[in-house]
Amino acid sequence: MDTAPLTQAPAGTRQLIYIPWLRRLAANYFMRRIARALTIAFVVTTLTFFLIRLLPGNPIDVYVNQLVLEQGIPYHEAYDRAASLFAIDLNQPVLLQYFDYLASMIRGDLGRSILSPGTTVSSVIVRFLPWTIFSVGVSLMISFVIGILLGLVMAYRREGVLDQILTVFASITTSVPNYLIAILLVVWLGVQWGIVPIAQMRGSLSPGVEAELSLAFIKDVFFHASLPIFTYVLTTLGGWMLTMKSSTISVLEEDYVTVARAKGLKGSRIVSAYVGRNAALPLFTQVTIAIGFVVGGAALIETVFRYEGIGIRLIQAIQRRDYTVMQAIFVIITLSVIFANLFADILYSWIDPRIKLGRKR
Amino acid sequence: MEQKQPSLLGKLWFALKNIGHSVRVTLRIMSYNKIGFAGFLFVVLILLISYLGPTFVDLDTQTKIDMIYQPPSLEHPLGNDHQGRDVFSQIVNGGRDVIQTAVIAAVLSTLIAVTFGTLAGLVGGNIDNATTSVADIVLTIPQFPLLAVLAALINFKSLLLLGVILGLLSWPALLRAVRAQALSLKERDYVEAARSLDLGTWHIVFREIVPNMMPYIIISFTLAMTGAVYQMVGLVFLGLVPISGSNWGVMISLAWTRGAIFFKDSIWYIMSPVVAIALFQLAVITMGRSLELVFNPRLRTDA
């Protein structure tokens, strides 16, 4: 009889979306995550545009004035040159410029380097970004796994000698800035004791080594990445250990662990399937923060070791005032962090089904 | 019979005795955690050296060619730098800038986080949505690259400006924690009681809710300080923030570019600021453990 109110919201509840399939889409966890990632990506690219284009003393104005004053180039010509470098048409109204910028961003056209004419910014990124993703990714995985295992041991052997030693280790490595630890590694291992050939380890590949799937290539890759990876692992390990320890301690008091014990299950099975799994879950949410921090700090670590990743290129671009490269690398680094976070979120929801069902507020 | 009025001196004496008593109580609570108390003593020591030290030890700016990279001696306890200047005087004079910037950044970010975090937690609705989305965005952007880019566009002339910018970027993590705390605290009985007594929002926020999250706020304050030191020294180390004069960051930067990788003798020059910063960070973080006890309202009444 009364079929009409099907599309209408029930009284007392506010529902903004009336189209059923759209509503289902909005309620979908993945869709909301992806929408959030895209929103943040959009905000960041917009922010960058306004920093580069509209801030008083912004790079484009600076560059144009420089051309006019130092090389005596007419104003409109200098403007044209800046426009082609930044991939923005400067004669249009700002709003159109902004849409242009967004469109070229989506096409992957990020402009060309100011200092090395002819080099597209995209080629710079393609060349340097993989090394940072590789070194940071490998390090995060290593430190996450080791940190979980050590944290588990620490929780089981509370107040033991190992626990105390590891706690001291963790509090030192997490509070001392990672680039200082990198400096200490270079100064002590490389210069004072001369154990590590730091001069040969610079760069991301030895000269003459081809990118191919051979043992020599892989060995060389790890030879050059070893110090950065070691630093990242050393400085992030402590955090994972401490969180895992406290998380494990609280899981150990749960009823299902007691039940598992009472059922007479084997100790190893309780540790792996009951305690370890559940205690490790909350740590995944922290991966998000860790990714941003490590990628951000990569600029410093790569500079100390002269590892040819995207971080050191960002710093070089800033020091040489190569604004197009700087702008693009900043956007790319931020986008990588955003999508790494998205990936971590989706992975987490796949591991812990409760997340997908519960509406997180 | 005339009642005896306490003299001004007597009042002052009483006040001093009161302050003395609360300082003693505070110190006793802090000493419950031995490691935290050691951290606190270290922080006091570093503050004394950085703020009182410069009146006794003048910054050595004189180039002495025959003293380049000399090992420590009685006259120069930490050796000499690449121009033969005394390293010890640079350490003593180089702490103030770092500490001041860190405090500015930490105070600002804590204020923002506590104000908007409690607001979001208590009021909810659109204000909550707006604050958490802004926090999400700021939290996602990698801080160091952003600061490096800003350093290229804005001239960080003063430490104050740098501290303010650091503070404006580092509040989101604490805001999330404060908001979660406010959400759970507002359901507690004593908040309910205050509300039914109609004590007003101001009273509820600053007398009931904020005191109960002081431990969190204090820990976050120390983390914000060390975070600010991390970012600032990093920027100075890369030469992106041209702050003149001598501070620990400038020292590391100079030691690194002028010799740490070439000369074995430079070890005292590079190690001194590195150890100074590392000790400061460690001391501030461990001090948090003791401060947490002091600001815990429950422990306070027990003492």
Side-chain angles (χ1 to χ4, degrees):
Chain A
M1 287 164 250
D2 208 323
T3 50
L6 249 184
T7 49
Q8 256 175 29
T13 62
R14 272 198 317 153
Q15 278 181 328
L16 294 170
I17 304 163
Y18 298 114
I19 308 163
W21 65 266
L22 205 61
R23 192 192 300 166
R24 226 174 303 137
L25 209 63
N28 184 309
Y29 175 78
F30 298 115
M31 285 302 150
R32 273 186 292 140
R33 278 294 119 135
I34 291 168
R36 204 184 71 157
L38 290 178
T39 316
I40 298 180
F42 171 73
V43 171
V44 170
T45 40
T46 307
L47 208 81
T48 316
F49 173 81
F50 286 103
L51 276 181
I52 298 290
R53 183 69 193 89
L54 293 180
L55 205 75
N58 68 69
I60 292 183
D61 286 353
V62 170
Y63 180 67
V64 168
N65 286 338
Q66 203 181 326
L67 284 184
V68 172
L69 288 177
E70 286 171 13
Q71 303 184 14
I73 295 170
Y75 207 74
H76 63 273
E77 208 172 295
Y79 239 67
D80 285 347
R81 206 183 281 188
S84 84
L85 285 176
F86 283 85
I88 294 175
D89 187 357
L90 296 168
N91 297 320
Q92 284 175 333
V94 173
L95 199 67
L96 278 182
Q97 284 181 28
Y98 169 61
F99 288 127
D100 246 17
Y101 161 85
L102 282 186
S104 53
M105 206 45 108
I106 290 166
R107 277 202 310 276
D109 175 12
L110 300 161
R112 275 173 296 150
S113 163
I114 295 180
L115 290 183
S116 14
T119 317
T120 59
V121 175
S122 333
S123 71
V124 172
I125 287 167
V126 168
R127 207 173 122 208
F128 292 102
L129 184 63
W131 298 110
T132 301
I133 294 181
F134 162 73
S135 57
V136 169
V138 168
S139 322
L140 276 178
M141 274 188 266
I142 295 177
S143 81
F144 191 71
V145 171
I146 300 181
I148 281 184
L149 293 179
L150 286 180
L152 208 60
V153 174
M154 282 164 83
Y156 268 91
R157 302 259 143 88
R158 246 165 302 170
E159 311 293 320
V161 183
L162 187 68
D163 178 30
Q164 275 163 4
I165 293 172
L166 287 179
T167 309
V168 172
F169 164 81
S171 22
I172 292 175
T173 52
T174 46
S175 45
V176 176
N178 54 7
Y179 52 88
L180 291 187
I181 289 183
I183 288 178
L184 290 181
L185 286 177
V186 169
V187 166
W188 287 104
L189 294 183
V191 181
Q192 297 292 324
W193 298 331
I195 310 170
V196 177
I198 44 157
Q200 277 114 289
M201 290 174 102
R202 292 175 162 200
S204 46
L205 275 180
S206 300
V209 175
E210 295 289 321
E212 57 187 10
L213 235 132
S214 68
L215 202 66
F217 171 70
I218 295 172
K219 248 171 83 180
D220 196 54
V221 165
F222 276 101
F223 174 67
H224 287 277
S226 55
L227 279 181
I229 290 180
F230 184 64
T231 311
Y232 294 134
V233 170
L234 198 67
T235 48
T236 47
L237 187 60
W240 300 127
M241 268 161 40
L242 294 181
T243 341
M244 183 64 187
K245 181 189 167 190
S246 62
S247 170
T248 308
I249 289 174
S250 66
V251 167
L252 280 173
E253 283 158 12
E254 295 280 346
D255 290 338
Y256 53 76
V257 178
T258 319
V259 171
R261 280 214 190 94
K263 279 200 291 191
L265 286 181
K266 257 200 305 186
S268 61
R269 179 149 168 73
I270 298 179
V271 173
S272 63
Y274 287 77
V275 179
R277 238 185 116 140
N278 285 302
L281 277 178
L283 270 74
F284 274 89
T285 51
Q286 292 192 4
V287 170
T288 321
I289 296 167
I291 292 172
F293 184 73
V294 173
V295 172
L300 286 155
I301 303 295
E302 287 172 2
T303 310
V304 172
F305 293 122
R306 299 267 139 208
Y307 186 70
E308 296 278 306
I310 201 82
I312 194 171
R313 278 302 280 136
L314 174 71
I315 301 303
Q316 287 166 352
I318 292 172
Q319 283 166 344
R320 297 175 192 156
R321 299 282 184 259
D322 195 343
Y323 292 115
T324 41
V325 177
M326 174 194 88
Q327 162 209 353
I329 293 182
F330 173 65
V331 171
I332 288 294
I333 288 182
T334 314
L335 291 185
S336 326
V337 170
I338 293 171
F339 288 104
N341 285 345
L342 180 68
F343 178 69
D345 274 349
I346 288 176
L347 193 73
Y348 181 39
S349 74
W350 177 63
I351 296 171
D352 187 357
R354 281 173 303 180
I355 297 295
K356 239 184 312 188
L357 301 174
R359 284 200 175 196
K360 245 171 102 184
R361 280 257 72 201
Chain B
M1 211 164 117
E2 199 185 330
Q3 199 171 2
K4 208 172 145 201
Q5 283 285 329
S7 66
L8 187 71
L9 215 66
K11 270 187 197 161
L12 204 70
W13 171 241
F14 190 71
L16 273 179
K17 236 172 79 179
N18 236 344
I19 292 171
H21 176 73
S22 54
V23 166
R24 262 206 310 284
V25 171
T26 309
L27 285 180
R28 199 175 66 225
I29 296 175
M30 286 185 81
S31 66
Y32 290 164
N33 188 322
K34 294 281 181 300
I35 296 171
F37 197 64
F40 166 71
L41 291 180
F42 245 100
V43 170
V44 172
L45 182 72
I46 293 173
L47 287 179
L48 283 179
I49 291 176
S50 302
Y51 282 85
L52 291 182
T55 47
F56 301 108
V57 184
D58 287 331
L59 183 60
D60 181 8
T61 49
Q62 206 183 355
T63 307
K64 293 179 280 291
I65 307 220
D66 56 326
M67 296 290 288
I68 290 174
Y69 291 140
Q70 286 292 306
S73 58
L74 268 180
E75 206 182 330
H76 304 290
L78 291 175
N80 299 74
D81 72 357
H82 62 284
Q83 292 183 354
R85 297 171 301 189
D86 179 38
V87 174
F88 179 70
S89 78
Q90 295 179 36
I91 290 290
V92 170
N93 285 277
R96 249 175 323 175
D97 287 0
V98 178
I99 297 168
Q100 243 153 285
T101 316
V103 169
I104 294 168
V107 167
L108 184 63
S109 77
T110 308
L111 276 180
I112 297 175
V114 172
T115 317
F116 288 95
T118 36
L119 196 72
L122 289 183
V123 180
N126 282 337
I127 292 178
D128 188 18
N129 285 337
T131 14
T132 38
S133 344
V134 174
D136 252 6
I137 292 172
V138 180
L139 197 61
T140 314
I141 302 175
Q143 285 217 2
F144 192 76
L146 177 61
L147 282 164
V149 168
L150 284 178
L153 301 176
I154 308 166
N155 191 3
F156 289 114
K157 274 181 252 69
S158 66
L159 288 168
L160 181 72
L161 181 65
L162 181 61
V164 167
I165 288 182
L166 286 172
L168 285 179
L169 290 175
S170 56
W171 49 268
L174 174 58
L175 182 131
R176 282 181 165 191
V178 167
R179 176 180 164 272
Q181 279 288 304
L183 276 179
S184 91
L185 285 174
K186 78 172 173 186
E187 308 296 334
R188 300 280 168 88
D189 291 340
Y190 49 83
V191 177
E192 201 70 19
R195 203 175 289 147
S196 54
L197 286 171
D198 202 15
L199 286 171
T201 316
W202 190 261
H203 177 97
I204 292 174
V205 169
F206 286 101
R207 292 267 148 171
E208 312 288 345
I209 288 184
V210 171
N212 276 293
M213 40 189 188
M214 268 324 263
Y216 281 84
I217 294 173
I218 288 301
I219 292 288
S220 308
F221 184 83
T222 60
L223 289 180
M225 257 180 90
T226 52
V229 170
Y230 176 94
Q231 315 277 9
M232 181 183 78
V233 174
L235 287 173
V236 175
F237 169 60
L238 293 179
L240 297 178
V241 178
I243 289 170
S244 56
S246 170
N247 66 55
W248 296 340
V250 174
M251 286 178 76
I252 294 180
S253 174
L254 275 178
W256 180 252
T257 47
R258 301 280 164 78
I261 10 181
F262 314 115
F263 306 116
K264 274 193 168 182
D265 301 340
S266 66
I267 193 71
W268 287 91
Y269 184 33
I270 182 114
M271 281 308 282
S272 306
V274 167
V275 169
I277 293 173
L279 275 181
F280 180 68
Q281 303 281 75
L282 256 176
V284 168
I285 289 204
T286 44
M287 177 181 71
R289 296 192 195 176
S290 271
L291 288 184
E292 185 185 23
L293 298 176
V294 174
F295 286 97
N296 193 329
R298 276 168 221 167
L299 274 179
R300 188 92 225 191
T301 42
D302 287 348

